[in-house]
Every structure is written in C-alpha cells, then in structure tokens.
Amino acid sequence: MLAGISKFLFASALCLAPFAIQAQTPTGKSYDSKKNERPATTAPQFPSPVTFTDITKQTGISFKHEASPTTQKYLLETMGAGVALLDYDNDGRLDVFFTNGTQLLDPMPKGKMPDKSNPKFWNRLYRQKADGTFEDQTEKAGVKGIGYGFGIAVGDYDKDGFADLLVTHYGGATLYKNNGDGTFSDVTKKLGVAVDGWAASAGFFDYDRDGRLDLFVARYVVWDFETGALVCGDARPGYRAYCHPDNFKATTALLFHQKADGTFENVSDKSGITQTKGKSLGAAFADFDDDGWTDVFIANDNSEQQLFRNLGDGRFEDVALAAGVAFDDKGKYFSGMGVDAADYDGDGRQDIFITALSNETYPLYRNTGEMLFDYVTQPSGVAQITILGAGWGVKWIDADNDGRRDLFVAQSHVLDTIEKTNSLLKYKQPPLLMRNTEKGFQNISLAAGAAFKTDLAARGMAAGDLDNDGDTDIIISQTNGAPVVLRNDGMKNHWLGIDLRGSKSAPNGEGARIVVTDGNSRKQFFDASNSGSYLAANDPRIIVGLGAAASVKQIEIRWTSGKIQTLENPAIDRYHLIKEQ
C-alpha cells in the first residue's frame, strides 16, 4: 500500500526542482514522485447492468472517522478507518462497527500514548432497526475501545451463537465477548490474547480443523512516535508527506490457537508464521491448494507478499515465492494493501486480487493448481483499468448476480499532498467497479451510479446484504471522514443465499468449501470466510448469483470436520440456514 511505486521515483526535497533551495532537506523517503509522466491510456467505460445508490443519509449513521491529522505527518493518520458488518443481536439484520482514531498531540510528547477519552474518538457500533435505519449502541454495548483503531475481526469464538469482536489498534488488540444481551465484555487478558505493535487486519479461522476458531493478526511496521517523526518529501509548510514504509522495519504476523478451555495460545513461532517478515496490511483465508486445510495470504506494503500454506500438522510454510505471488510480473515489490480471494473463473480454484498504489496496477493472480499462480493483471484488462488508482478495501462480489465474481475497490491515494507534486494523480478518488465478462474485466463504474463519480478518502470496505434482498451492498469507511453506504439496486437475476452453522466444524462454517450446481449444471465454488478486504469483516453469508438459471440442483458443503453434506433442489431467491449434520 504505502508502497514503492514501480514506475515512480521517491523524491526528496532536493529532487523537487525548482523548490530545492526553498525546501528543507528531508530525513526520510516519501511516496512522492519526481516525474509527471503520463501513464498508458486508461481503460474505456462500459454500460453497467447494476446501480449502487448512496443511502448514507437515510440510514441515520452519523459517525465520522477522526484521523487527528498533525503537522508531524504521523503515519497512523493516513492508514485508519476499519469497518465490519455483523448481526450482533441475532435479529436477522446486519449491524455495523467502525474503528476510530485518537487525539494526537502536535507533536506527541515522549512516552505519551494517544488519548481516546473524547467521545468523538470512540469506535462505534450501530444496530440496524426494522425500518432499515441505524441507532448508535456504542455506550450500551461497552465497545468504545482503546488506542488508535484499525481493523476488525468477527467470529463466534465460544460457539454460544453470538458474534464476538476482535478490534486491532496501534499498540495491540481487544477481544470482546458478546454477552448475548446487547453488551460486550473485554476478555483480552482473561483469554490470553496478547498483541503488541501496530496491529492491522485480523481474522478468525479454524486452521487445525478442531471446530474452534483461532485468531490471526497482521502487523504493519515497527513504528513509534519518535522514530516516526521523520521529515519526508518536501519540508515546506503544506508539502510535508507521509513517510514511505522503507523507512521502517518489517515485522511478523501473529497466530493464536484456541485451546479446549477457550483460552488462546500464541503459536506464532512454532507454527512457522514468523519464519518470514513483512509490512502486513491485509489478510485473506482460503484453501489455495485444495487439500482441505485453510491457507493464509498476506498483502504486504512494498515488501514480498506472503502465502502461508497450511501443512495440516499445525505448521505453515511461506510458499509465496515458489507459488509466483511474492512479486509482480517484473519481479518487483508493490504496495499490497487490501486482498481478497475467490474463484473468479469457475475452475474450482481460489484466485487472489490485491490492491496497490497508483502506477503499480492491482495484481490479479490466477490459481492454476498445485499451489501455482499466473500473474494475469495485464491480459485480464485490470492493468489498464487500475493504472491511476490507489486501492485499499476490495471484495469479490457478484454485483449483478449473473454467476460471475466482479471486483469492488475502495480507492484513495495515501498522500494528501499528492496533487501538489503530481498533476496526474488525486488524493481522493471514486470507488471502482470492474465487471467480470469471463473474457476479462470491464470498468463499469461511471454507469453504476452517481456514487462512482464521488471522490473519497476511502480505506476499509465491507460487503454484505444490508436489506436482505439477495444482492450485495457496500459500506466504505473514510479516513478523517464519514462512511458511505451503497445499496445495490441491480438487475434482479435469481439468487440463492447460504448461511452455515457448524457443529463439529467452525461455528459459521469457516473454512468449508461450498459447491453449488445450478439448473444449467454450472458449478460455483466458495470458501466460507468473512475476512478479506482491508481492516474489515464482511457478511458471513454467501450469495450465489444464478444468472440465466432458474433453479439449483444441489448445494454441497465440505465441512472442515470432513463431513460432506448435500441439499438437493433447494428453493431459490431466499436464504438457507444450513446446519452441519
């Protein structure tokens, strides 16, 4: 993400003629570029079969993310704004959780941590009411939070039927137990979840298939307010830039195994998760080699991407280099920010899409089997579409329910000063919607609604069916701004919804492989997970677009317990709650 731009050179003030004499000499590398070279022609726009409508005002959500920007350009300020969709009260309607910043002093005194006591810096939980509006339940629920907030993971770790929360922040993470009465309890210390450093995206998954959810936490860079106060870019007032991650050391992710007594054990070292370091921002969970064990892909900012293959014995091996996903097609680093996994080409294998910085294009890796991937950004059309974009949150969604997974990306540059140094790039950028045509991707954004003509400082993005009508809606969180809620008013193809409940397997079927065969004998493949994107958790339900098919022959669930369960001729245009038998 805040990454090295392959075609861009990072400028110091001495490089920014004619201002070199006026500017102070910076002490660190920034994301700035010294050239205004025009990139390749961007992709044409195409008609859209779907429209997204901005309904933010109608929802009653009044939250505003507070980044607390300073003249010091602390890196925290440009990285935040996480969002999660969850049904925390089990009323059948999705609720929303937002992470928030803290008050940052300008500058921060040595040894002082940021203050979150002012209500405008609280994380926020909104409950959806029956009329589709939302009410703030933060105080009642007890989830104001601590620290400068970033990511959210959602999972029923104690299998009591209620969704619990893991909220990451600079300096650690908080595990909240859902008490089932609208309130949450902080059980972080009690259950042994000890996270330090800059925690970013996180996710619950069952890596050892014992039916209990384990916890994965991605960490960004080794950073503090003293070492992070470098002057980067042009030091003139109003031109100072956020520092490039090259100025800071990489670190490792953390893995916590849930034991039989419900406590968590840090198994990061013995599992092999710490064998390689990265500057980690996004994480996605899927069975990439089809061996029945959930693997982990980590999006890293200007360092090698990581693909941890689950060996099935409690250990992981980083196979990113051998698999062909560590670098781009030129063997270079890129700014990995958000990431998501899905089978976009219908071959039964989970593919990978990553967001990156302007002029890098967004990497698309097609899974060819046996843990090998092809870099298909260029031939798929994604390169031309994304050349000027800077992406964060991303999800594979079937926007029009035609049976093909499309791509929704929340965009914004990392530098709020980029327009002062590069006339071709913008800080705030509109969302991006790329339609999967089976022969490649088309940019249908401008035809998909006015929201795609609105520039945002987007960061996190969560996808889910907010109104339970069978299509995928979107919530985008902005840094230092208000969220945007987009209702899908798309073409009404038939659909089928799947809501899993494990017994021996994980509580919401995490890690299960679902195969849906429609009435035209087309198969679609899904790996159950509510993770992916950036700093986000998504609706755990799976929506299967049926396109031209008017029926479904079979749903097959391959649970992580080893059980294979089938549902024959299920009704369409409705959700199915499927319990593990």
Side-chain angles (χ1 to χ4, degrees), residues 495-572:
W495 60 279
L496 180 142
I498 298 172
D499 192 4
L500 298 181
R501 293 293 184 275
S503 54
K504 292 184 178 179
S505 300
N508 287 104
E510 290 88 346
R513 172 67 57 86
I514 301 100
V515 184
V516 177
T517 306
D518 67 24
N520 295 332
S521 298
R522 178 175 60 171
K523 294 181 183 293
Q524 294 187 56
F525 301 81
F526 304 84
D527 278 13
S529 173
N530 68 357
S531 298
S533 190
Y534 173 73
L535 305 181
N538 306 279
D539 187 347
R541 298 174 297 178
I542 293 168
I543 297 176
V544 184
L546 299 179
S551 64
V552 169
K553 290 181 180 179
Q554 184 186 81
I555 303 172
E556 178 184 273
I557 302 104
R558 304 170 188 171
W559 300 93
T560 54
S561 65
K563 171 76 175 181
I564 297 178
Q565 186 174 344
T566 59
L567 180 63
E568 305 292 338
N569 302 309
I572 62 171

Side-chain angles (χ1 to χ4, degrees), residues 205 207 215-216 253-257 265-268 271 273 316:
F205 74 128
Y207 77 88
L215 178 61
F216 182 90
L254 298 174
L255 178 62
F256 295 89
H257 173 249
E265 174 190 9
N266 188 333
V267 295
S268 307
S271 68
I273 288 293
F316 289 82

